[in-house]
Amino acid sequence: MAEASSRPEGSRGLFWTAIVVVYAAIMLFPIFWMASMMVKPNDAMFARPTQWLFVPTLDHFSYVIEQGFHWALLTSFLLCTVSTALVVIIGTPAAYAFARFEMKGKDDLFLFILGSRMAPPVCLVIPFYLIYAKVGLLDSFLGLTLAYMTFNLSFYVWVLRSFCRDLPVELEEAAALEGWSKLQIFRRVVFPLLRNGIVATSVLCFIFAWNEFLFAFMLGGKAMTTLPVSIPKLITSQGVRWGEMAVVGMTALLPVLAVVFVLQRHIVRGLTLGAVKG
C-alpha cells in the first residue's frame, strides 16, 4: 500500500520537474541565442536555414574593445555602486524615522516622496538639465550620481519603510530600558534586523540605475557615457551590428547576475520578510 501511494507522488514530482525544466529552457533560450551571436561570423548570423555549426570568431569582441565600450561599462558600474551606496546611507535612517517617529505632516511628506517616484522621468529630466547647466554639473560623475540617487531614494525609502514597520517594537523598547540611546538602538538592534531588507531593496535600486537611459543621455556626454547610452552607437547607417550588440548585451547582463548570485540569500530573505507573521 505504501509503495502504491508513493507512485502518484513520484509521478507528480516528475511532472512538476518537467514543467520547471521546460520553463527554464524557454527563459534561458534568448540568453543562449545571444551568447551564440557573440562568436558567430556575420555571414552565418541570419543564414537560412540556421547554421548551428560554424567557426567561432572574436571579431565582435575586438570591435567592442576598440570602440571603448569597456569604459562605458566601468562608468555605469561605478555610478550605480556609488549612487546605491548613498541611497542606503541616506535612505535607511529616513525610512526608520518615517516608520517609528511621529512628526508633523509626516503623511504629507511621505506622499510627496512617493509622488516624486511616480512622476514620469521626462518631467524631471528637464528641470535637472536646467539646474545642472547653471551649476556646472552636466557631463560629470557627481551630477549623474546625484540624479541616480534622487530617483532611487524615494523608492528605497518607500519600500524599506514597510520593512521597518514589520520589526517588533518590543526589542527597541527593551533596549531603551537598558539605557541605550536612539542611535545605539538603531545601530545594534534595528540595522542587523533590517540587513536582508536593505540588501534586497538596494539590489533593486542598483538594477534600476543600471538600466537607466534618459537621465544618462540628457545629463551625460562625452566624458560620462554609460553602457545603455553607448548601445545605440551599434545601430549604424550600414545596419545593426548584431554580433557586437550581443557582446555588449551579455556584458551588461553579467554584473547584475553576479550581484544577484552573491547576495541571493539576503535577497530571498529580504523579499519574504514580513510575509509570515506569528
Side-chain angles (χ1 to χ4, degrees):
M1 295 292 293
E3 182 180 354
S5 61
S6 63
R7 288 178 181 175
E9 294 180 359
S11 301
R12 192 179 300 111
L14 290 175
F15 171 76
W16 286 112
T17 301
I19 293 295
V20 171
V21 170
V22 172
Y23 178 78
I26 295 174
M27 293 295 102
L28 293 176
F29 182 76
I31 298 178
F32 164 76
W33 189 268
M34 188 163 58
S36 67
M37 291 175 63
M38 293 169 56
V39 293
K40 244 184 191 180
N42 290 324
D43 55 355
M45 192 75 66
F46 297 104
R48 293 293 182 270
T50 302
Q51 295 185 10
W52 296 104
L53 298 178
F54 53 87
V55 178
T57 179
L58 297 179
D59 292 343
H60 307 313
F61 291 88
S62 300
Y63 181 87
V64 167
I65 295 175
E66 289 173 1
Q67 296 299 315
F69 280 88
H70 57 290
W71 295 115
L73 173 67
L74 179 61
T75 299
S76 290
F77 185 79
L78 291 176
L79 280 172
C80 297
T81 302
V82 174
S83 63
T84 303
L86 291 176
V87 166
V88 172
I89 293 172
I90 299 174
T92 303
Y96 177 72
F98 275 112
R100 285 288 187 263
F101 301 147
E102 293 297 330
M103 60 187 77
K104 186 177 181 180
K106 181 177 71 173
D107 294 336
D108 295 334
L109 180 59
F110 188 74
L111 183 62
F112 172 77
I113 293 175
L114 183 59
S116 64
R117 177 63 184 178
M118 292 181 175
V122 70
C123 296
L124 301 176
V125 72
I126 296 176
F128 264 97
Y129 183 87
L130 296 176
I131 294 173
Y132 277 22
K134 291 289 186 181
V135 299
L137 286 178
L138 288 176
D139 196 14
S140 66
F141 185 86
L142 177 60
L144 279 180
T145 300
L146 293 177
Y148 282 16
M149 184 192 70
T150 301
F151 70 74
N152 269 332
L153 185 61
S154 55
F155 172 80
Y156 183 88
V157 172
W158 175 50
V159 174
L160 198 67
R161 175 176 175 261
S162 62
F163 287 122
C164 294
R165 297 180 68 177
D166 289 336
L167 296 180
V169 70
E170 292 79 9
L171 295 177
E172 300 172 43
E173 293 174 350
L177 291 176
E178 293 293 330
W180 290 9
S181 64
K182 292 290 185 181
L183 182 60
Q184 289 176 318
I185 293 173
F186 178 78
R187 183 167 56 89
R188 298 182 182 181
V189 178
V190 176
F191 188 80
L193 294 175
L194 281 178
R195 181 173 53 193
N196 293 322
I198 290 172
V199 171
T201 312
S202 60
V203 167
L204 293 177
C205 291
F206 181 91
I207 294 174
F208 291 155
W210 184 260
N211 296 327
E212 205 284 321
F213 175 83
L214 183 61
F215 281 85
F217 178 74
M218 293 292 294
L219 305 179
K222 292 183 178 180
M224 297 302 301
T225 303
T226 62
L227 196 61
V229 176
S230 300
I231 290 177
K233 297 178 181 178
L234 297 174
I235 304 175
T236 65
S237 57
Q238 289 78 28
V240 181
R241 306 187 69 98
W242 293 108
E244 290 78 4
M245 189 168 288
V247 173
V248 176
M250 286 296 294
T251 304
L253 184 63
L254 290 178
V256 177
L257 290 180
V259 170
V260 173
F261 179 78
V262 172
L263 302 175
Q264 60 179 330
R265 179 169 59 90
H266 297 286
I267 294 173
V268 172
R269 290 182 179 179
L271 293 177
T272 56
L273 181 64
V276 180
K277 294 183 179 180

